Amino acid sequence: MNVPLSSPDIGSRERELINEVLDSNILSIGPKVELFERMIADYLGVQEAVAVNSGTSGLHLAVRALGIGEGDEVITSPFSFIASSNCILFERAKPVFVDIDPLTLNLDPSGIEAKITSKTKAILPIHVFGRPADMDRIMEIAGRYRLAVIEDACEAIGAQYHGKMVGSASDAAVFAFYPNKQITTGEGGVIATNSSKLAGLCRSMRNQGRSDDSIWLNHCRLGYNYRLSELNAALGIAQMERIDEILARREAVASAYHAKLIGVKGVTIPNIEDENKKSWFVYIIQLDPGIDRNYVMKYLHENGVDCRPYFQPIHLQPFYRENFGYREGDYSNTEKAASSTLAIPFFNNLTEQQMDYVVEVLAQALSQEQESMLSLSSSTITA
Ligand SMILES: *Cc1c(COP(=O)(O)O)cnc(C)c1O
């Protein structure tokens, strides 16, 4: 049996809406993008949603629209996907890392104030794996120091913080729709905001810096081509029509995994005890200290079960080491979490049978790993 890490959930409605676009002859800048934006804004309970061609583009525009530039500092987490930090570098500003809370894997607010300087302009928290970051404390600190807040909500559509949708509390929140996310547009993203000024700036910058006076070739600022096509938006509309069903299905898959994994020795299942509602993006287990993760991964791959270490710390990526001189030990909670986490297959249509197979192979991998460790240590003793 082969079980992929993720798999998009595309149905007949997705095909129907994409065909509608093809038949309409309007492949870009049209009604589907507008409708998709409205659906997202209404779902999140924000005033504006600006669709773009990736989550990374959305983060870049949010940073730029908030006026963050050369020499500015932005406080963020090293336990994330690289884009949440790269978007700061795009504008020649500096990411300043604060370590995570090992329990939630989110940026630890108690570490923020020590890192604030006269150059700090913003805080950029990530809702890691769909679990809401501690926004009350982050917004309180930001308010006291007059800092902007950009939420990287790329993994968290539908998550709720204190009963409100994640992405509605800050200056701007960015969501992403790559095929492994909860909902997909193929490639795509959205900037959610309650500021019409910020939304207008983002709309202009995604479209080559055009002014909104509808004179087509009038470029009033530096801009990009970060537009989302009508085809991608059509996919997004079909997915948004059943987002509640999709998120419920993912939650059911996660619960089923919990029940199956609870007896497997050496594995910690994701912590779900939280006052907030998580949106299930990936299913991440943590292996006990001392377990050789590479051995386990190799065994899983050899038996057709895809898996991946998730995340690799940003500060230890070659580009960051070379340019900023980061070293192992700089952010110990992040490094500790990163060395034990493992993403196992997780998607809407994962079957009971596939889950059983994944858990069976994982349990085998762990017991074989123990045996090989034992024989290794006994051979050292006899030698
Ligand atoms: C997916 C993701 C992004 C954006 O990714 P794109 O591939 O550019 O859409 C940004 N941050 C995090 C944490 C993500 O998981």
Side-chain angles (χ1 to χ4, degrees):
M1 197 188 288
N2 264 307
V3 194
L5 196 58
S6 77
S7 169
D9 175 7
I10 304 299
S12 56
R13 180 67 175 152
E14 280 79 357
R15 289 186 175 81
E16 182 188 330
L17 287 183
I18 285 185
N19 279 324
E20 234 176 60
V21 172
L22 293 174
D23 293 338
S24 77
N25 277 336
I26 304 172
L27 302 189
S28 188
I29 313 184
K32 291 284 188 271
V33 167
E34 270 178 44
L35 175 57
F36 181 54
E37 290 182 336
R38 187 50 22 225
M39 287 173 90
I40 297 265
D42 290 347
Y43 178 74
L44 298 174
V46 297
Q47 261 153 44
E48 304 255 11
V50 181
V52 287
N53 60 2
S54 76
T56 306
S57 313
L59 286 165
H60 180 204
L61 291 190
V63 165
R64 208 173 150 79
L66 284 163
I68 294 159
E70 180 141 21
D72 291 340
E73 294 179 355
V74 178
I75 291 174
T76 188
S77 165
F79 190 67
S80 176
F81 179 63
I82 193 118
S84 61
S85 191
N86 280 352
C87 67
I88 300 163
L89 296 179
F90 294 163
E91 290 303 313
R92 300 189 173 278
K94 186 181 176 210
V96 173
F97 295 125
V98 165
D99 210 354
I100 55 166
D101 173 340
L103 198 70
T104 66
L105 307 178
N106 281 322
L107 185 154
D108 182 355
S110 69
I112 293 176
E113 284 195 75
K115 296 287 180 81
I116 294 178
T117 72
S118 58
K119 292 178 179 166
T120 310
K121 282 284 161 62
I123 309 174
L124 197 159
I126 299 101
H127 304 294
V128 172
F129 306 148
R131 180 182 180 135
D134 192 349
M135 289 308 292
D136 277 357
R137 282 176 73 196
I138 291 166
M139 293 309 290
E140 187 274 321
I141 297 166
R144 255 190 301 125
Y145 291 88
R146 298 175 166 271
L147 306 175
V149 176
I150 300 168
E151 289 167 82
D152 181 337
C154 289
E155 305 187 345
I157 193 158
Q160 291 177 22
Y161 180 78
H162 293 176
K164 279 179 73 180
M165 285 292 180
V166 151
S168 53
S170 61
D171 295 286
V174 178
F175 295 85
F177 310 118
Y178 184 75
N180 72 336
K181 311 280 175 177
Q182 289 91 330
I183 63 161
T184 187
T185 57
E187 295 279 2
V190 115
I191 303 144
T193 180
N194 284 313
S195 159
S196 53
K197 184 167 162 249
L198 191 132
L201 265 174
C202 290
R203 288 210 163 86
S204 167
M205 287 192 292
R206 81 173 164 190
N207 192 20
Q208 311 284 12
R210 279 172 188 136
S211 58
D212 50 14
D213 57 13
S214 72
I215 304 172
W216 181 242
L217 288 177
N218 193 23
H219 304 269
C220 56
R221 62 179 60 82
L222 182 64
Y224 308 86
N225 178 357
Y226 283 172
R227 294 185 304 258
L228 186 73
S229 86
E230 287 285 286
L231 292 155
N232 299 96
L235 203 46
I237 291 166
Q239 300 258 293
M240 278 306 286
E241 284 176 354
R242 57 190 175 96
I243 187 166
D244 291 339
E245 185 195 308
I246 287 173
L247 296 182
R249 174 65 198 146
R250 295 177 86 86
E251 203 175 331
V253 172
S255 306
Y257 256 145
H258 285 337
K260 294 178 198 297
L261 282 165
I262 209 131
V264 179
K265 245 183 81 190
V267 168
T268 303
I269 57 178
N271 180 341
I272 42 162
E273 269 164 43
D274 190 357
E275 49 180 336
N276 293 307
K277 189 175 175 355
K278 174 175 179 162
S279 170
W280 286 91
F281 164 51
V282 280
Y283 194 88
I284 305 288
I285 57 169
Q286 284 179 277
L287 301 180
D288 284 358
I291 293 177
D292 181 353
R293 183 175 58 181
N294 286 335
Y295 183 99
V296 173
M297 283 173 42
K298 188 160 172 278
Y299 190 93
L300 261 61
H301 282 140
E302 280 168 2
N303 287 280
V305 175
D306 202 6
C307 60
R308 207 161 294 168
Y310 226 88
F311 300 111
Q312 309 275 35
I314 294 177
H315 67 286
L316 297 181
Q317 298 288 347
F319 179 78
Y320 280 75
R321 282 185 194 245
E322 282 158 28
N323 285 278
F324 304 101
Y326 290 118
R327 280 171 298 151
E328 250 136 81
D330 284 345
Y331 301 97
S332 55
N333 289 347
T334 294
E335 290 165 32
K336 209 168 154 224
S339 68
S340 71
T341 43
L342 189 65
I344 59 174
F346 185 73
F347 45 92
N348 297 355
N349 297 320
L350 193 63
T351 65
E352 201 75 26
Q353 213 188 356
Q354 285 173 314
M355 271 188 266
D356 285 335
Y357 181 69
V358 170
V359 173
E360 185 193 315
V361 172
L362 178 65
Q364 274 167 14
L366 287 161
S367 79
Q368 298 242 344
E369 192 268 353
Q370 283 304 86
E371 268 172 43
S372 78
M373 296 292 271
L374 277 175
S375 65
L376 214 86
S377 58
S378 64
S379 66
T380 341
I381 292 162
T382 44

